[in-house]
């Protein structure tokens, strides 16, 4: 019950949403807007409920004029299985919502035209959210998928590139099919801005990922993946090879022979506490 209360406290309604609702009343589209907002709200609550189940830090559940977002104060060090569950818990809500709508239709509790609208909106939001574009659920799944085999910054960079290609495809599709659809252009502008912001913040995102590891918060590493490095490699370049869900012993080699081993925490401590920003990895052997 306390977790449910905390979720309710985190709900945020954007002021412009009230203007959209008012405009819907004036233009006789109030029912359509209410259905959309209900579906989006349940979708985002699905994300938030799964996050609360795993004791994630939830910043807010925002309802926006053109959608919604469940914002988490997590930075890539949660178990990948948890992240998958949190991501797919949004799209999964559409399945039971459509099932409930069909049941209500059979019981004559829901008019046929409302049922058709509800199903149409559910499918539209479900398919749209699964597109491989950040920050949609599909884009987050792409990030997780690339994180399975690549370092955090590389997986993040690939996700941004795939998302950019996805947005370009969506823009071309809109130009060919609905060039005067203002709603689509607003959504595309939001996605483009979000992706640009994510790209601008990529270094900050990476540093937050490292900081979480350094302080040992929410770390549950199931895989031990040694990193074999040359002693002349820079500390920051080794850190850039860190991967989500993996613990990294650092094996330092010189002339093809093992010279020493460092724990990843020693590397993180040197970088954040001792501000060893330009040192070579081999120099740390003489410190630790």
């Amino acid at each position: 019950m306390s977790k449910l209360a905390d979720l309710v406290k985190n709900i945020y309604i954007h002021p412009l949403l009230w203007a959209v609702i008012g405009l819907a009343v004036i233009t006789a589209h109030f029912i359509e807007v209410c259905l959309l907002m209900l579906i989006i709200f349940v979708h985002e609550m699905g994300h938030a409920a799964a996050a609360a189940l795993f004791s994630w830090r939830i910043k807010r559940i925002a309802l926006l004029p053109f959608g919604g977002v469940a914002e988490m104060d997590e930075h890539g060090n949660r178990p990948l299985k948890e992240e998958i569950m949190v991501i797919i818990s949004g799209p999964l809500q559409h399945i039971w919502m459509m099932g409930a709508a069909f049941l209500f239709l059979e019981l004559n509790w829901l008019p046929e035209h409302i049922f058709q609208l509800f199903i149409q909106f559910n499918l539209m939001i479900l398919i749209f959210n699964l597109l491989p574009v950040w920050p949609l659920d599909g884009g987050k799944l792409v990030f997780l998928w690339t994180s399975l085999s690549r370092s955090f910054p590389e997986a993040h960079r690939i996700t941004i590139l795939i998302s950019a290609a996805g947005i370009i495809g969506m823009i071309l599709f809109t130009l060919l099919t609905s060039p005067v659809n203002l709603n689509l252009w607003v959504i595309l502008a939001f996605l483009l801005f979000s992706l640009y912001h994510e790209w601008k913040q990529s270094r900050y995102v990476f540093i937050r990922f490292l900081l979480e590891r350094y302080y040992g918060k929410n770390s549950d590493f199931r895989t031990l993946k040694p990193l074999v490095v040359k002693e002349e490699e820079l500390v920051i370049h080794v850190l850039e090879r860190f991967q989500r869900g993996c613990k990294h012993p650092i094996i330092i080699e010189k002339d093809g022979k093992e010279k020493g081993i460092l724990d990843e925490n020693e590397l993180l401590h040197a970088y954040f506490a001792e501000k060893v920003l330009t040192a070579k990895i081999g120099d740390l052997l003489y410190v630790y």
Side-chain angles (χ1 to χ4, degrees):
M1 184 63 71
S2 62
K3 287 189 176 182
L4 179 60
D6 290 338
L7 288 181
V8 173
K9 290 178 183 177
N10 287 322
I11 295 174
Y12 166 77
I13 300 177
H14 196 282
L16 284 179
L17 180 56
W18 298 113
V20 171
I21 294 174
L23 185 62
V25 173
I26 295 173
T27 58
H29 290 91
F30 180 69
I31 292 177
E32 289 90 337
V33 170
C34 285
L35 288 176
L36 278 171
M37 287 299 103
L38 173 63
I39 294 168
I40 291 170
F41 175 73
V42 173
H43 178 107
E44 298 304 332
M45 287 299 290
H47 290 306
L53 181 65
F54 295 122
S55 299
W56 284 28
R57 296 164 295 182
I58 302 171
K59 293 173 65 175
R60 67 175 184 174
I61 304 158
L63 295 178
L64 309 172
F66 38 78
V69 60
E71 298 179 9
M72 313 296 173
D73 192 18
E74 302 292 340
H75 303 280
N77 284 298
R78 288 286 189 169
L80 296 181
K81 289 182 180 179
E82 284 189 15
E83 297 216 27
I84 291 174
M85 288 301 299
V86 172
I87 293 172
I88 67 172
S89 289
L92 285 177
Q93 305 310 307
H94 299 282
I95 297 175
W96 75 260
M97 281 194 286
M98 289 189 285
F102 181 77
L103 177 62
F104 290 169
L105 178 68
E106 291 297 307
L107 295 173
N108 293 320
W109 293 356
L110 194 67
E112 174 72 25
H113 71 284
I114 298 295
F115 169 78
Q116 291 180 355
L117 271 178
F118 192 74
I119 296 298
Q120 177 186 339
F121 289 162
N122 263 285
L123 290 174
M124 178 180 68
I125 294 172
L126 174 60
I127 294 171
F128 178 77
N129 262 281
L130 291 178
L131 293 175
V133 174
W134 186 273
L136 302 177
D137 296 335
K140 293 176 181 177
L141 288 173
V142 168
F143 191 16
L144 283 185
W145 175 65
T146 54
S147 296
L148 294 176
S149 58
R150 300 177 184 273
S151 67
F152 184 93
E154 187 179 2
H156 191 250
R157 183 165 54 252
I158 291 173
T159 300
I160 290 175
L161 290 174
I162 292 175
S163 299
I167 291 178
I168 291 173
M170 293 168 68
I171 290 174
L172 293 175
F173 180 78
T174 302
L175 286 172
L176 291 173
T177 59
S178 306
V180 295
N181 190 320
L182 181 60
N183 291 331
L184 278 178
W185 286 115
V186 169
I187 293 172
L188 287 172
F190 169 73
L191 291 177
L192 194 59
F193 172 79
S194 298
L195 187 61
Y196 173 76
H197 183 265
E198 189 69 18
W199 172 71
K200 291 286 289 183
Q201 296 289 315
S202 58
R203 199 62 182 176
Y204 169 77
V205 171
F206 173 57
I207 295 301
R208 285 302 301 265
F209 164 73
L210 293 179
L211 276 170
E212 289 272 322
R213 293 177 81 109
Y214 175 52
Y215 287 111
K217 295 180 180 178
N218 310 317
S219 298
D220 183 18
F221 301 119
R222 302 291 179 86
T223 304
L224 192 66
K225 187 174 183 180
L227 295 180
V228 179
V229 303
K230 297 179 180 179
E231 67 168 357
E232 63 269 18
E233 289 189 50
L234 297 181
V235 170
I236 185 58
H237 292 165
V238 177
L239 290 172
E240 287 172 351
R241 292 169 60 181
F242 277 25
Q243 190 174 328
R244 298 171 78 172
C246 297
K247 179 75 172 178
H248 297 300
I250 314 300
I251 301 173
I252 303 173
E253 289 188 347
K254 181 180 181 181
D255 299 326
K257 297 181 180 180
E258 182 179 316
K259 188 176 180 181
I261 299 177
L262 291 174
D263 186 83
E264 71 167 52
N265 292 329
E266 293 172 326
L267 219 63
L268 292 167
H269 179 78
Y271 187 78
F272 287 111
E274 299 181 5
K275 308 299 180 183
V276 180
L277 305 181
T278 58
K280 296 177 181 179
I281 191 72
D283 297 338
L284 300 186
L285 284 175
Y286 303 106
V287 178
Y288 299 103

